[in-house]
Amino acid sequence: RQRQMCIREVGEHTHIAETEYYIVLSGKGLVVDNGSEKVVEDGDLIVTNGGETHEIKNIGSVPLKIIAIIVTY
């Protein structure tokens, strides 16, 4: 399934037997994946494998627009 959204934050969560992909369309965000932080911007792809804890926050001055794709296996 796929969703496009403008976000302030997607809080910490974990997917079991799923991989989640975030594609950053615009804005600037901070991804925390298993405790590791990374700043992301337009065009970046973030991949979080099943069982990993992750979150994404808007840290820019404009809305953070992303596409979230969850693949179940």
Side-chain angles (χ1 to χ4, degrees):
R1 69 184 181 245
Q2 173 184 326
R3 294 180 288 167
Q4 179 177 324
M5 53 190 149
C6 289
I7 63 164
R8 288 166 69 176
E9 179 174 352
V10 175
E12 183 178 289
H13 61 286
T14 305
H15 296 273
I16 304 301
E18 295 178 328
T19 298
E20 184 165 27
Y21 300 85
Y22 291 133
I23 301 166
V24 181
L25 301 176
S26 62
K28 184 175 182 179
L30 177 69
V31 171
V32 181
D33 191 359
N34 280 334
S36 188
E37 295 185 355
K38 180 179 179 180
V39 174
V40 295
E41 299 178 303
D42 305 9
D44 285 342
L45 170 67
I46 303 97
V47 180
T48 303
N49 294 307
E52 296 180 352
T53 301
H54 57 284
E55 64 183 293
I56 185 169
K57 303 175 189 181
N58 184 356
I59 60 169
S61 58
V62 299
L64 177 60
K65 189 173 183 179
I66 65 170
I67 293 176
I69 302 169
I70 300 172
V71 178
T72 303
Y73 48 89

